[in-house]
Amino acid sequence: MSLDQPQIEELEAQVPDLTDVLPVTPLQEGLLFHALFDEYDADVYVEQIDLGLEGPLDAAVLRAAWEALLARHASLRAGFRQLPRVDHPVQAISGGVSLPWREVDLSWSAEDEDTANAEAERLGVEERGRRFDLAE
């Protein structure tokens, strides 16, 4: 993969704090094809895990741990871009990304566990319905 200066400048304009540009692997290219094939159907590569935690939870510490993972592993900061006049997409690695973090307090319904569980399920369905932006 070789990019010319205008293509690199285009990536720099699109990706804040661009630190590296890498070719996609054959597996990544296949995943990209399937993820982009039908933009309106369910995103087959989005998974959601429901974990039960016991004991006190410090949400700020949990968030900081996830942010540390993003900072440590460049592959988690990769966005996939298809540039004009380039045959294959590229991985654009950003030096810093914003952790997509959503915190919802369901303690208001602690007296009604069924209500809290129904709201948690509703939020999960809502999150699964959002498509993953592969450029980000």
Side-chain angles (χ1 to χ4, degrees), residues 89-101:
V90 296
Q91 295 182 64
I93 309 296
S94 178
V97 297
S98 176
L99 176 69
W101 184 266

Side-chain angles (χ1 to χ4, degrees), residues 91-110:
Q91 295 182 64
I93 309 296
S94 178
V97 297
S98 176
L99 176 69
W101 184 266
R102 181 177 178 190
E103 206 169 309
V104 178
D105 182 0
L106 296 178
S107 63
W108 53 266
S109 56

Side-chain angles (χ1 to χ4, degrees), residues 6-69:
Q7 291 166 329
I8 292 170
E9 289 171 2
E10 183 176 341
L11 272 177
E12 289 175 330
Q14 294 176 10
V15 181
D17 198 19
L18 181 70
T19 61
D20 205 355
V21 179
L22 304 170
V24 296
T25 66
L27 178 60
Q28 288 172 324
E29 196 162 10
L31 292 170
L32 282 168
F33 171 80
H34 288 288
L36 298 172
F37 180 73
D38 185 354
E39 295 181 10
Y40 300 103
D41 201 6
D43 195 336
V44 296
Y45 295 113
V46 171
E47 287 294 325
Q48 187 177 76
I49 299 171
D50 186 350
L51 299 173
L53 302 175
E54 293 184 19
L57 173 66
D58 187 333
V61 171
L62 181 61
R63 182 177 182 160
W66 281 107
E67 288 173 339
L69 281 172

